[in-house]
């Protein structure tokens, strides 16, 4: 990737920004001889953001799967001690429990921002909910 | 009082609401259809990315056709008609709008005036 570097003293950035739009090449804006900002075509910026989000999601989901597996490992014991309670699993351990998953989430999630936590009801089967609406809407 | 959405056939009560991921602070505005037939509220799958929302559990869902599927669960804050509900349990589908199920609707006093195609939704 080639870059165009302009100095703070450059008279206006319009021509350089037009070049970014035309060529797709990024533009580096310097101050005191050091790079301060970069101007990218929006599509390129958007692709970078999406790539970062995908990497974050992949990392999170791997951790989430570990917490889910930990719940399954702990489940036989939890069925004896916390049947009917929701538990929050983090770091492979039960970090809190409550009769309500909502109250548990309110209490636990702020302690682990952007970290994997698995909240589940301790019983033999998953809790079941119903959705009676069709998935797709028919519009006028 | 909000009007029913007449693009639905027949017209349906649909409310504008704000969904917030309390972890990231990101919010989006969505439309939510009042659905007493749903026992859990449903978020469009397309909202996960802008909300930076990640799963926190899983649950079984019985669909309109009786099919049972396992879905990941999410928790987000909802603001509906100036009422804020913290950490509402949600599942996702490919819908274009939210479904507000009984878990949410039971927090409100709701008056459906089907004849006039208006409705009221407020804290009891």
């Amino acid at each position: 990737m080639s870059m165009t570097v302009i100095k703070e003293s450059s008279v206006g950035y319009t021509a350089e920004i037009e070049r970014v739009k035309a060529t797709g090449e990024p533009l580096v804006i310097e101050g005191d001889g050091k790079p301060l900002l970069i101007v990218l075509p929006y599509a390129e910026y958007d692709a970078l953001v999406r790539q970062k989000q995908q990497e974050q999601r992949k990392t999170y989901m791997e951790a989430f799967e570990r917490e889910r597996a930990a719940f399954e490992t702990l489940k036989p014991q939890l069925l004896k001690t916390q049947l009917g309670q929701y538990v929050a699993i983090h770091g492979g351990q039960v970090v809190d429990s409550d009769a309500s998953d909502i109250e548990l989430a309110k209490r636990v999630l702020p302690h682990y921002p952007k970290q994997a936590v698995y909240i589940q009801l301790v019983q033999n089967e998953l809790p079941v909910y119903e959705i009676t609406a069709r998935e797709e809407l028919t519009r006028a | 009082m909000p009007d029913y959405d007449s693009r639905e056939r027949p017209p349906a009560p649909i409310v504008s609401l704000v969904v917030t991921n309390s972890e990231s602070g990101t919010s989006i505005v969505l439309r939510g259809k009042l659905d007493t037939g749903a026992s859990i509220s449903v978020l469009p799958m397309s909202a996960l990315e802008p909300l930076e929302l990640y799963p926190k559990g899983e649950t079984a869902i019985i669909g309109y056709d009786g099919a049972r599927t396992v879905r990941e669960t999410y928790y987000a804050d909802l603001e509906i008609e100036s009422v804020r509900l913290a950490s509402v349990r949600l599942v996702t589908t490919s819908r274009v709008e939210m479904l507000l199920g009984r878990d949410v609707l039971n927090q409100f006093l709701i008056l459906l005036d089907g004849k006039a195609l208006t409705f009221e939704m407020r804290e009891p």
Side-chain angles (χ1 to χ4, degrees), chain A residues 17-31:
Chain A
I17 288 173
E18 286 302 319
R19 189 161 57 239
V20 172
K21 286 161 66 177
T23 66
E25 295 296 338
L27 170 67
V28 174
I29 299 174
E30 286 189 344

Side-chain angles (χ1 to χ4, degrees), chain A residues 69-136:
Chain A
F71 172 78
E72 292 300 329
T73 302
L74 295 168
K75 192 171 171 181
Q77 183 61 30
L78 292 172
L79 284 168
K80 295 176 186 169
T81 58
Q82 294 190 271
L83 181 64
Q85 291 276 307
Y86 282 89
V87 294
I89 308 287
H90 178 73
Q93 298 180 333
V94 176
V95 291
D96 202 350
S97 63
D98 199 295
S100 159
D101 64 325
I102 305 290
E103 295 306 315
L104 186 58
K106 284 181 193 172
R107 202 165 57 236
V108 169
L109 297 182
H111 292 291
Y112 305 102
K114 301 187 178 181
Q115 297 176 58
V117 175
Y118 185 73
I119 294 175
Q120 189 52 272
L121 180 62
V122 179
Q123 61 179 23
N124 283 310
E125 300 292 329
L126 287 174
V128 179
Y129 295 94
E130 56 177 349
I131 302 174
T132 55
R134 292 177 66 88
E135 296 290 316
E136 302 299 331

Side-chain angles (χ1 to χ4, degrees), chain A residues 3-17 19 26-39:
Chain A
M3 293 187 181
T4 301
V5 178
I6 61 174
K7 310 287 185 184
E8 267 187 326
S9 57
S10 297
V11 181
Y13 298 147
T14 306
E16 287 82 357
I17 288 173
R19 189 161 57 239
L27 170 67
V28 174
I29 299 174
E30 286 189 344
D32 294 330
K34 295 178 182 175
L36 289 178
L37 303 169
I38 189 160
V39 178

Side-chain angles (χ1 to χ4, degrees), chain A residues 50 60-61 64 68 101-102 114-115 117-120 127-132 134-137 139-140, chain B residues 7-8 23 37-39 49 55-56 58-64 75 87 89 93-95 97 102:
Chain A
R50 284 177 184 279
Y60 179 91
M61 291 307 295
F64 180 73
R68 174 160 49 187
D101 64 325
I102 305 290
K114 301 187 178 181
Q115 297 176 58
V117 175
Y118 185 73
I119 294 175
Q120 189 52 272
V128 179
Y129 295 94
E130 56 177 349
I131 302 174
T132 55
R134 292 177 66 88
E135 296 290 316
E136 302 299 331
L137 296 177
R139 295 193 176 279
Chain B
R7 289 175 298 177
E8 300 284 331
E23 287 187 15
S39 60
E49 192 175 302
K56 300 296 180 188
E58 58 187 347
T59 194
I61 297 293
I62 305 290
Y64 71 96
Y75 293 89
S87 294
R89 180 197 317 107
T93 72
S94 57
R95 298 184 61 83
E97 65 204 4
R102 296 193 300 278

